[in-house]
Amino acid sequence: MIAPFKATSYAFTPFDTARNFIAGEWCDPLTSKASQDVINPRHGKSMAKVLMGGRDDVDAAVTAARAAFNDWRRVPIRDRAHVFYKLRELMHKNIDELAWLVSHENGKTFGESKAEVEKSIECAEYGCSLPNLAEGGGLEVSRGVTCEVVYEPLGVVAGVVPFNFPIMVPFWMIPQALVGGNTFVLKPSERVPLTTLRLAELLREAGLPKGVFNIVQGGKEVVEALCDHEHIKAFGFVGSTKVAKAVYGRASTAGKRALCLGGAKNHLIVVPDADVAVTADNVVASFMGCAGQRCMAASVLVAVGNVDHIISAVVERAAKISTGTDMGPVTTEAAQQRIVAYIDGAEKLGAKVLLDGRGADGGAGGYWVGPTILDQVDPSMPAGCEEIFGPVLSIVRVPNLERAIELENASPYGNAACIYTTSGDVARRVMGAVEAGMCGVNVGVPVPREPYGFGGWNDSAFGAGNITGWDGYRFWTRQRKITTKWSLQKDQNWMS
Ligand code: NAD
């Protein structure tokens, strides 16, 4: 039993050890003795330990999930979805506790954390709606002959998730996979394994049978074991591009269906006719929200022509952000150093620092970087083309819209791209040309809300389709096609 998390403020609060959750029970790794601290980034202090599992723990989880599969797949879809109705209620009841957990282990503010839990609830609601959506289809295709499609589960499936959304990213996978009739093995990020401990408890309280949802804690070794395991049929991954590409190759080679989402370098194009207040508020919220640690965060502001009046408003707005209250810390000391190195490097290469977040202080011990705006960035500079994953906005100046689109298209990533304009024509031209899976018009974080699917293009995603929405259901299920002929007309074969 995992005790509820007691925090009601940012004051440092310790929590339970993160163990494996297998066949409905909490257990220590079978042989591995490795452990790692779970650091609260606001305090730079360990709030718990995570016991790092290994290959044998993956095997134990898969054995439990296989044992549970035959019963779970036979539970009618409506009853499988009812678990998510109950879970939804439990999440609402415990929303502050879940939000404080996210906030403490990840560092984001309580408000941002609560929004993350609310978005997770929205994903659970999509799971609740699946019995009304997943009806398949049937048609009389020839006289007396019908074809129908039935969505069937795959078996045991696995998900591996990153540190930046400890509960929401698991919710991109779990509702569709479980309502679809699969049993699941989750590997949380070893940096933020705590919120999913409470999730496991809530799923149990919501009536999920033992072994349907399992957790194996750990890092690379566990991920590779999940990729390789012969009895795991599908593999979902969200993380950095380098790892996404490697695990996509490994899981696919092992014969699995795989969908692996990677990193991003999102371009926001601003033209002179953009609304100043809307653009400034939106751009700032996009690049500094969650301390810039979002795969949908603004990273490059592509300034088309003279938009200095808008840039001034962006700088003015961002300068009012207070680290510690409006904005949380970044995830680790290494991340803080990496982000500062990008800023130092850009400055050395000739970029102008319009707003400097180096040396920001949000409280003793925390890993702080304040909102930072760099102007005159060249796209060839590391700050202009690499994922920084921190609250840094790089401004690249271009003379016209064509050059802005070219610049966006030159990035190997393809997660998000936005245009700020009051011209329908400009918006339409950009929306028809950018190389990005999720696009915004005057929207800085264009995350498709349920039921629309989430997924990028190019080096931001490996595998077909989106991870949420209907694509998600299709990813975690397979289609059985049944052709039936009961009226046995002698004068016709089934094709006629
Ligand atoms: P990460 O790639 O370091 O880790 C992600 C997961 O992979 C973790 O569970 C980790 O334990 C595991 N892992 C790490 N190294 C591994 C290796 N060498 N082999 C196998 N597994 C390994 O990512 P992160 O730092 O946790 O998260 C930040 C990254 O995730 C950013 O690049 C961000 O853009 C990306 N992200 C993408 C999306 C999206 O939807 N495209 C969403 C959220 C985050």
Side-chain angles (χ1 to χ4, degrees):
M1 187 74 186
I2 299 294
F5 187 52
K6 298 270 186 252
T8 53
S9 74
Y10 292 121
F12 182 80
T13 311
F15 195 52
D16 272 313
T17 301
R19 298 187 157 81
N20 296 335
F21 183 72
I22 297 176
E25 307 297 335
W26 296 106
C27 45
D28 289 351
L30 288 167
T31 51
S32 166
K33 297 281 172 249
S35 71
Q36 201 170 296
D37 285 314
V38 180
I39 305 287
N40 177 326
R42 183 175 282 269
H43 297 274
K45 231 164 90 177
S46 174
M47 60 183 285
K49 291 253 178 228
V50 52
L51 307 186
M52 305 285 277
R55 277 190 178 264
D56 45 1
D57 299 298
V58 169
D59 210 35
V62 173
T63 302
R66 286 186 81 198
F69 176 61
N70 267 337
D71 284 345
W72 181 242
R73 72 179 299 183
R74 290 196 172 82
V75 171
I77 187 168
R78 198 160 291 280
D79 296 344
R80 295 196 297 250
H82 270 156
V83 172
F84 283 85
Y85 278 98
K86 286 189 200 142
L87 180 69
R88 179 188 180 277
E89 294 318 304
L90 289 169
M91 288 175 78
H92 272 300
K93 203 170 129 197
N94 296 285
I95 193 162
D96 283 1
E97 184 203 341
L98 291 168
W100 279 120
L101 254 174
V102 169
S103 177
H104 279 245
E105 65 174 338
N106 170 277
K108 60 182 81 170
T109 65
F110 179 72
E112 289 167 343
S113 303
K114 199 160 178 175
E116 178 180 343
V117 180
E118 280 163 353
K119 177 68 193 172
S120 309
I121 291 172
E122 193 174 296
C123 294
E125 286 166 357
Y126 188 74
C128 296
S129 69
L130 281 169
N132 300 317
L133 301 173
E135 85 283 16
L139 198 66
E140 187 180 41
V141 290
S142 175
R143 183 144 26 116
V145 178
T146 56
C147 278
E148 66 177 303
V149 167
V150 180
Y151 291 95
E152 299 264 352
L154 297 166
V156 180
V157 298
V160 174
V161 291
F163 83 86
N164 63 327
F165 283 95
I167 187 161
M168 182 190 77
V169 175
F171 264 92
W172 285 356
M173 307 180 190
I174 294 167
Q176 280 89 330
L178 294 196
V179 177
N182 303 284
T183 53
F184 201 93
V185 181
L186 176 74
K187 203 240 24 112
S189 165
E190 61 275 40
R191 269 185 258 158
V192 295
L194 305 178
T195 314
T196 43
L197 305 183
R198 286 298 293 143
L199 172 63
E201 293 281 356
L202 295 181
L203 275 166
R204 187 158 64 181
E205 202 178 328
L208 194 73
K210 289 180 177 190
V212 174
F213 176 72
N214 306 274
I215 299 176
V216 180
Q217 309 288 356
K220 185 178 179 198
E221 184 186 339
V222 169
V223 178
E224 292 184 346
L226 293 169
C227 289
D228 298 344
H229 203 291
E230 62 169 322
H231 294 303
I232 292 178
K233 300 298 176 198
F235 177 82
F237 175 92
V238 180
S240 58
T241 287
K242 191 170 158 230
V243 181
K245 201 170 185 174
V247 295
Y248 178 74
R250 190 161 182 148
S252 306
T253 304
K256 291 177 186 32
R257 191 179 281 197
L259 180 55
C260 302
L261 304 191
K265 185 78 179 169
N266 303 315
H267 289 61
L268 275 60
I269 301 173
V270 178
V271 298
D273 72 18
D275 182 280
V276 178
V278 166
T279 306
D281 280 0
N282 236 266
V283 169
V284 172
S286 178
F287 93 85
M288 54 63 64
C290 299
Q293 300 174 124
R294 288 190 288 196
C295 67
M296 296 294 280
S299 187
V300 177
L301 188 156
V302 188
V304 181
N306 185 355
V307 291
D308 285 354
H309 59 299
I310 302 175
I311 290 173
S312 300
V314 169
V315 175
E316 196 183 314
R317 171 84 190 78
K320 292 192 183 130
I321 302 293
S322 158
T323 40
T325 45
D326 303 328
M327 193 177 141
V330 298
T331 175
T332 56
E333 195 172 3
Q336 182 194 38
Q337 288 167 357
R338 187 195 67 233
I339 297 161
V340 168
Y342 272 108
I343 305 167
D344 292 345
E347 195 176 25
K348 276 201 195 96
L349 290 168
K352 203 169 144 201
V353 183
L354 299 185
L355 185 66
D356 196 346
R358 291 170 291 189
D361 187 11
Y367 310 130
W368 305 102
V369 184
T372 300
I373 301 179
L374 305 170
D375 199 1
Q376 309 294 348
V377 173
D378 189 89
S380 64
M381 293 177 190
C385 60
E386 293 175 12
E387 181 176 44
I388 301 175
F389 221 54
V392 181
L393 184 70
S394 301
I395 301 174
V396 177
R397 305 272 180 164
V398 295
N400 53 43
L401 197 58
E402 287 63 40
R403 182 69 195 111
I405 292 169
E406 246 173 61
L407 186 73
E408 196 286 332
N409 287 356
S411 170
Y413 296 104
N415 224 36
C418 310
I419 172 74
Y420 289 92
T421 183
T422 48
S423 154
D425 179 53
V426 168
R428 196 183 51 80
R429 277 160 66 198
V430 173
M431 290 302 100
V434 282
E435 279 291 316
M438 293 172 280
C439 296
V441 178
N442 300 314
V443 173
V445 184
V447 173
R449 298 284 299 265
E450 311 305 315
Y452 293 96
F454 185 103
W457 294 355
N458 306 333
D459 278 3
S460 294
F462 304 90
N466 300 302
I467 200 148
T468 63
W470 183 239
D471 275 5
Y473 190 71
R474 285 175 63 113
F475 176 73
W476 300 110
T477 56
R478 53 188 172 175
Q479 294 176 30
R480 190 191 295 282
K481 286 74 65 179
I482 305 170
T483 304
T484 307
K485 179 175 169 66
W486 286 119
S487 51
L488 304 174
Q489 300 99 321
K490 298 281 183 292
D491 59 334
Q492 296 195 341
N493 67 37
W494 74 274
M495 292 287 276
S496 53

